[in-house]
Amino acid sequence: MDTRTVVAFLVGVGLAASCFLLLGRDGERGTEPAGFHDAGTRREPGPETQPTLRGADADPLTALAPSEEEVEWIKGALRTERKRRDAARIREGDTGLQVMARVFKYDADPAALLRSYEAFRAPIVETDETPLALSEPRAGETVSFKDGDVNRVVIELGPGVFPIAKSDQHWRPVYSLDKKVTHVVIRGAGMDRTTLVAGHQWALLLVAGTVEHLVIRDLTLDGGEAEGALLDIRGQAAVALENVRVKGWLRAGHAAAISVSGSAYLGCKGCEFLGRGEQSGWAISLRGRSLLLCEDCRFQHVGRGALIGTGEKTAGSSAVLRDCTFEASRLSDRRFSFPVRVLGGRVMYGSADLDEDDRRSHWGAGHAERVEGVVFEPIPPVCTLGALLDVLEKVEPPEGERVVGIWLDGVADGRPSKFRVYTLPATGRRTKTYEADVSGGWPTLRHLERDGGRGIPPPDVVRRARSFVDVLRGSAVPLDIGVSRLQYSWQGGDQPIPTIAIGTSKQSNRWYFNAESGELMRGPK
């Protein structure tokens, strides 16, 4: 072996030993991440010589030895990587926000926390501060949370129904762009015993600042007439929801019971999201960086899906839905921008004539990274054509108004409870909107201040149409098929033809009848 070969070999051994020592020995440790919005340095720039281990020399033996500048660059890069690895280590005692900093800034792996709710919940601590205890208000009274503007807030609601004051559009202790709240706890006596009825148009809690530990448990939030949602997170929050039921939220804005456009460390255990069929949006909307774990949760009749997660701002997010139940609810209606895993649980979706592959596809299994251990089965139709026609036969609109559409708008205990009924007055082209409550058996109509907006034929075309009941009773369409809406439509031309459109749970499965002759124009695809 000649001298040059020996020198090259010794240099290589020395460089390898330096790398081993730099990565293995205790050295300067990374600092605790204060917040994941801080810019992180992943790697240092290389030397100006653009190091290669060959160089320009034609002799490969002499070219193997790195330059002094290259050695220093490698040492600096290794030091930076050691700091990153140390900062990426999730520690016992980290808060949820610190965990997110390690994941989104330093590429920590959250898999261990996402394996169980107990592990995921550990970084969120429930304060033992003396609570503000509220009893059920008397008839006609409301509750207000305005007086709790302190760093630690605990509200305890007893059994009963608590209408929220309409002035409380946002909860002020949390709603502040520069506000940092350490602990917030809202707890009831059980989801079947304590009900908050929304008087707000948007979320019960709007987090525009930072909440380090937010716990909501053992209650129901009913969106009520205002169709209020539960959470709107535009800042940063670590949240634990336990035994919380949400129903009746607005299909507007994020169209979700929980919406995140900031960043959230969000765990849900034993929660229920009860939608209203097609009139619902999503249960959870993630449009900012988030870690989500839902365990043993129930998604029922959520129109668009249990979860939506799209956009560049969600980069690095992860979601796991473990042992959850989906009843007439899709996973989602679109592909996710980050990994979503559904592990275990039960899906009841689609009619009995769908095969396994079609049922999985329509439910949205293809949007997830992994769907494993999930039982798929059909679900009986919640609302049938016969049920819709029964309601129409009982509905008595105000004099001079004609029913031009009816949509399923609420489900309770797996049965229709509310419908939206649209009428057209004898004069004018603007529809009127009513809520038909059938929970008591006979439908009761209540006018809603949301008239117009429903696409129907011109009044002169509607006048030539026969009633829904007259055309569809005894038609070729089975009365036991699942449907969600009936409405008048029309086919254009010099003499527009009034039609009746039957909407089912699948948008592609629709019937169209000539509303003058009663002739079937188009059946399901």
Side-chain angles (χ1 to χ4, degrees):
M1 182 179 298
D2 60 27
T3 303
R4 289 181 300 175
T5 303
V6 171
V7 170
F9 174 77
L10 292 175
V11 169
V13 171
L15 182 60
S18 298
C19 294
F20 175 80
L21 289 173
L22 283 168
L23 280 174
R25 65 180 174 84
D26 287 337
E28 183 182 356
R29 300 182 67 83
T31 57
E32 290 282 336
F36 53 86
H37 291 296
D38 300 331
T41 301
R42 298 295 178 86
R43 53 181 63 88
E44 296 178 357
E48 294 180 359
T49 56
Q50 294 298 315
T52 73
L53 293 181
R54 285 191 74 82
D57 198 313
D59 188 334
L61 293 178
T62 59
L64 286 174
S67 68
E68 182 178 342
E69 183 185 15
E70 290 172 332
V71 171
E72 290 303 315
W73 178 83
I74 293 171
K75 289 181 179 179
L78 291 173
R79 278 192 291 267
T80 299
E81 175 60 14
R82 286 181 57 248
K83 287 183 179 181
R84 186 202 66 78
R85 291 188 183 185
D86 184 65
R89 183 168 58 85
I90 297 174
R91 295 161 169 79
E92 184 177 355
D94 277 350
T95 67
L97 297 186
Q98 287 174 325
V99 169
M100 286 200 295
R102 299 190 191 283
V103 171
F104 296 126
K105 183 178 177 182
Y106 297 105
D107 294 332
D109 185 357
L113 295 177
L114 291 169
R115 288 195 184 104
S116 72
Y117 182 78
E118 289 71 22
F120 195 87
R121 174 67 159 81
I124 303 174
V125 179
E126 188 168 344
T127 179
D128 57 0
E129 292 286 318
T130 302
L132 169 64
L134 298 177
S135 300
E136 182 178 24
R138 291 178 294 184
E141 293 183 349
T142 59
V143 295
S144 174
F145 303 130
K146 289 182 181 179
D147 299 329
D149 195 3
V150 294
N151 190 46
R152 293 168 177 255
V153 180
V154 180
I155 293 179
E156 187 172 87
L157 303 164
V161 178
F162 296 78
I164 300 172
K166 290 187 177 181
S167 59
D168 286 343
Q169 295 186 11
H170 309 297
W171 193 29
R172 292 185 179 180
V174 179
Y175 177 59
S176 178
L177 290 176
D178 57 355
K179 183 76 175 180
K180 181 176 180 179
V181 179
T182 306
H183 292 81
V184 176
V185 179
I186 303 178
R187 58 181 180 242
M191 68 162 63
D192 294 321
R193 301 184 66 200
T194 301
T195 300
L196 280 167
V197 180
H200 53 281
Q201 186 65 46
W202 195 225
L204 173 66
L205 295 185
L206 171 59
V207 179
T210 299
V211 182
E212 293 185 343
H213 306 273
L214 170 57
V215 179
I216 304 176
R217 59 180 174 87
D218 300 320
L219 56 82
T220 289
L221 176 70
D222 186 340
E225 184 177 347
E227 299 183 330
L230 179 64
L231 283 174
D232 183 1
I233 300 174
R234 304 184 186 187
Q236 303 177 55
V239 185
L241 302 179
E242 297 168 352
N243 301 317
V244 173
R245 177 186 294 131
V246 190
K247 60 182 182 179
W249 60 90
L250 182 67
R251 186 178 180 178
H254 275 261
I258 300 170
S259 60
V260 179
S261 54
S263 296
Y265 181 93
L266 175 60
C268 304
K269 172 73 172 180
C271 295
E272 296 184 356
F273 299 89
L274 309 184
R276 300 180 301 183
E278 292 189 6
Q279 297 299 311
S280 303
W282 297 272
I284 302 171
S285 170
L286 301 182
R287 302 185 188 183
R289 291 185 295 184
S290 303
L291 297 177
L292 169 68
L293 174 63
C294 292
E295 188 171 284
D296 194 27
C297 292
R298 178 186 177 204
F299 303 91
Q300 184 186 68
H301 303 292
V302 183
R304 303 297 293 274
L307 179 64
I308 178 175
T310 59
E312 295 180 356
K313 292 182 178 180
T314 63
S317 299
S318 294
V320 173
L321 291 84
R322 187 186 306 277
D323 297 328
C324 294
T325 300
F326 302 81
E327 299 177 34
S329 296
R330 288 178 288 193
L331 173 61
S332 188
D333 60 348
R334 62 197 69 188
R335 188 167 294 278
F336 300 107
S337 301
F338 53 86
V340 174
R341 287 167 287 162
V342 184
L343 308 176
R346 184 182 181 197
V347 172
M348 294 172 282
Y349 191 81
S351 58
D353 59 344
L354 290 177
D355 60 30
E356 179 78 3
D357 290 340
D358 283 345
R359 196 178 315 283
R360 291 173 64 97
S361 176
H362 292 155
W363 176 72
H367 301 324
E369 179 186 73
R370 191 171 71 174
V371 176
E372 185 177 285
V374 180
V375 176
F376 286 83
E377 57 190 76
I379 187 170
V382 175
C383 181
T384 64
L385 175 60
L388 271 181
L389 296 179
D390 288 343
V391 172
L392 286 174
E393 288 180 324
K394 298 174 182 177
V395 163
E396 298 179 356
E399 186 176 354
E401 297 181 23
R402 179 175 182 179
V403 175
V404 293
I406 180 170
W407 289 53
L408 177 65
D409 191 40
V411 179
D413 299 324
R415 297 188 300 274
S417 61
K418 294 180 182 179
F419 295 88
R420 290 287 172 96
V421 177
Y422 301 92
T423 68
L424 185 67
T427 59
R429 303 172 60 93
R430 187 176 178 85
T431 58
K432 299 184 70 173
T433 306
Y434 295 88
E435 178 186 84
D437 189 333
V438 298
S439 57
W442 196 270
T444 57
L445 282 185
R446 181 171 63 89
H447 181 235
L448 303 178
E449 296 180 2
R450 295 177 184 170
D451 293 335
R454 183 61 53 196
I456 61 167
D460 60 320
V461 177
V462 172
R463 282 192 287 269
R464 292 190 281 115
R466 292 159 55 188
S467 72
F468 295 112
V469 174
D470 187 26
V471 171
L472 298 177
R473 285 285 189 199
S475 70
V477 182
L479 294 179
D480 60 354
I481 64 162
V483 300
S484 58
R485 63 196 179 278
L486 301 175
Q487 73 178 73
Y488 286 123
S489 185
W490 76 101
Q491 286 193 351
D494 294 336
Q495 293 292 326
I497 301 173
T499 62
I500 293 175
I502 304 177
T504 68
S505 57
K506 287 172 58 181
Q507 290 284 353
S508 59
N509 284 3
R510 304 186 71 169
W511 281 264
Y512 283 91
F513 282 83
N514 184 316
E516 283 187 291
S517 67
E519 176 187 1
L520 177 64
M521 302 173 66
R522 192 176 83 191
K525 294 180 181 179

